[in-house]
Amino acid sequence: MIRYTKTLKVRVRDRHVPLLNRMARSVNFVWNFVNELSQRSIKERGVFLSAFDMHPYTKGAGKELGLHSQTLQCIAGEYVTRSKQFKKVRLNWRKSGGVRRSLGWIPVNTGAAQWKNGQVYHNGHYFKVWDSYGLSQYRFRSSSFNEDARGRWYFNVVVDVEVEPIKGQDRIGIDLGLSDTATCSDGIELEAGRFYRGLEEKLAIAQRARNKTQVKTIHAKIANRRKDALRKFSRTLVNRCGEIYVGNVSSLKLVKTTMAKSVLDAGWGQLKTMLDYKCAHAGIVFKEIDEAYITQTCSDCGCLPESRPKGIAGLGIREWTCSGCGVTHDRDINAVRNILAAGHGRLAVGIPVL
């Protein structure tokens, strides 16, 4: 058995929304306080405050604000982590109202939330949830209450789980694209359009009518479809494979181009993140491969023929024949075979080994 951590997400009943909203406003108040405190310390004394340094300034405020004392510590710890990550003297303020208000967030430290009487118990309050995982069988570690764009609240908790090791031995290469989110070396494809099929027209109508509630609902449905499809696809691959190789195409760079909408709809980043942590949990190989020349290189003979598709003009060519060996290639299948070959260390021309 392999032991690893996993985050479970369950929805909180709507009757607890007013209480959670009040707690979230208190969290925003504490965040803004430590934000200003840290900024003044750096500006006036040239001293960067650690989470430990901030604790005396927030000690005892939990009772007045309706927050658990450990929640105050979690806020300070999260603030310091993000300050170091983004290398900023001051982070953005958390807004409790207005059009650009921050979505609710209430961090919970390990041991500050428990499962009691069929409910989540935290800070003297019981929160009824839709328990789809059987939370009573787990010991809660760190957790948080989070709000989505529709005003619904969720309880996210980290737990320890044990699973049997994966015994799959297949080797798969994956090429990421726009019409198909992923094309595997064995011919399996994940179509990108399935995420929003049938909802684009409804979304356009709701946007023209300025129905913000309906727009948020449709966006949430599309996001849920995308997550569900990517989770099932990644789980299928991890269950049957011992090695998974994927191209290193960067969605963060392409979202700054005219292809931004298509790139975000495809969900490349989500798929790579899911494959990364699922492979780590299963103990199998996962690597990102340099995509230089993978489309132009013949996967059969390994050369760069003159007949290969080149540049932007060649993007519309979906099939081409190698002038060196005479083999006809599907553009995506050829690319993904080269990715798999590079992952194994069998070099084709222009494809470096990581």
Side-chain angles (χ1 to χ4, degrees):
M1 299 292 288
I2 298 177
R3 187 180 183 88
Y4 68 93
T5 60
K6 182 177 182 180
T7 302
L8 305 181
K9 179 180 180 180
V10 294
R11 185 180 169 189
V12 182
R13 299 294 178 96
D14 290 340
R15 69 175 183 233
H16 304 295
V17 169
L19 172 60
L20 291 170
N21 285 338
R22 290 195 300 271
M23 296 173 66
R25 286 193 292 270
S26 297
V27 169
N28 294 345
F29 178 83
V30 176
W31 175 277
N32 294 336
F33 172 76
V34 298
N35 196 12
E36 183 179 2
L37 179 67
S38 177
Q39 181 187 13
R40 290 186 59 183
S41 176
I42 295 174
K43 183 178 179 179
E44 298 174 4
R45 297 187 295 158
V47 177
F48 178 82
L49 296 179
S50 66
F52 181 78
D53 295 331
M54 292 180 181
H55 292 168
Y57 294 94
T58 59
K59 185 177 180 180
K63 186 175 181 180
E64 296 294 331
L65 296 172
L67 298 175
H68 196 283
S69 59
Q70 293 187 11
T71 295
L72 304 180
Q73 299 176 12
C74 290
I75 297 171
E78 182 69 13
Y79 178 84
V80 171
T81 300
R82 299 310 165 196
S83 296
K84 292 180 179 178
Q85 176 183 356
F86 299 111
K87 298 179 181 179
K88 289 186 176 181
V89 176
R90 179 181 65 80
L91 299 180
N92 292 334
W93 305 105
R94 290 191 61 86
K95 304 174 181 64
S96 298
V99 178
R100 297 185 178 275
R101 77 177 187 89
S102 305
L103 296 181
W105 165 64
I106 306 168
V108 180
N109 207 347
T110 300
Q114 303 174 15
W115 184 260
K116 285 186 178 182
N117 303 324
Q119 301 176 78
V120 175
Y121 179 76
H122 169 66
N123 195 29
H125 302 284
Y126 286 92
F127 297 92
K128 190 72 175 177
V129 299
W130 275 278
D131 183 16
S132 55
Y133 295 101
L135 295 178
S136 59
Q137 61 182 313
Y138 298 106
R139 177 181 175 272
F140 292 177
R141 300 182 64 177
S142 60
S143 55
S144 65
F145 292 91
N146 297 86
E147 181 189 17
D148 67 4
R150 291 184 287 177
R152 298 179 177 181
W153 281 85
Y154 296 86
F155 178 65
N156 301 280
V157 58
V158 178
V159 298
D160 293 319
V161 296
E162 292 184 351
V163 296
E164 294 184 2
I166 303 298
K167 299 180 180 179
Q169 299 298 321
D170 290 351
R171 298 177 176 87
I172 290 291
I174 303 175
D175 181 44
L176 303 177
L178 298 179
S179 59
D180 294 316
T181 296
T183 301
C184 298
S185 54
D186 58 359
I188 297 177
E189 298 177 345
L190 176 63
E191 184 184 356
R194 63 185 293 182
F195 304 149
Y196 50 83
R197 184 180 293 118
L199 294 176
E200 283 187 307
E201 184 177 351
K202 294 181 180 179
L203 179 61
I205 293 173
Q207 288 174 333
R208 287 195 296 268
R210 299 181 183 276
N211 190 337
K212 295 182 180 180
T213 301
Q214 188 67 14
V215 170
K216 291 179 180 179
T217 299
I218 296 175
H219 274 304
K221 185 174 291 187
I222 293 174
N224 289 337
R225 283 186 179 182
R226 182 185 297 109
K227 288 180 183 178
D228 181 66
L230 294 179
R231 282 170 178 162
K232 290 178 179 178
F233 180 74
S234 59
R235 174 49 58 189
T236 300
L237 294 182
V238 170
N239 284 347
R240 68 183 179 88
C241 297
E243 301 175 23
I244 298 178
Y245 305 100
V246 63
N248 68 340
V249 59
S250 175
S251 56
L252 294 179
K253 294 179 180 178
L254 289 177
V255 294
K256 299 177 183 179
T257 68
T258 55
M259 296 187 293
K261 180 181 181 301
S262 298
V263 171
L264 293 175
D265 285 338
W268 295 342
Q270 282 187 344
L271 178 59
K272 288 197 289 187
T273 299
M274 291 178 184
L275 286 173
D276 190 8
Y277 75 75
K278 288 182 180 180
C279 288
H281 290 165
I284 66 178
V285 176
F286 174 76
K287 290 184 180 179
E288 291 192 38
I289 305 300
D290 190 352
E291 288 197 335
Y293 299 104
I294 62 166
T295 301
Q296 302 180 31
T297 302
C298 174
S299 60
D300 193 66
C301 65
C303 69
L304 284 169
E306 289 297 325
S307 60
R308 69 186 187 273
K310 303 176 184 178
I312 297 177
L315 292 177
I317 301 176
R318 306 316 301 173
E319 289 189 0
W320 59 280
T321 302
C322 176
S323 57
C325 61
V327 176
T328 300
H329 296 291
D330 177 272
R331 181 188 183 94
D332 294 335
I333 298 298
N334 176 69
V336 78
R337 286 176 178 171
N338 283 327
I339 290 175
L340 181 59
H344 287 165
R346 299 197 304 271
L347 281 181
V349 176
I351 305 179
V353 176
L354 290 180

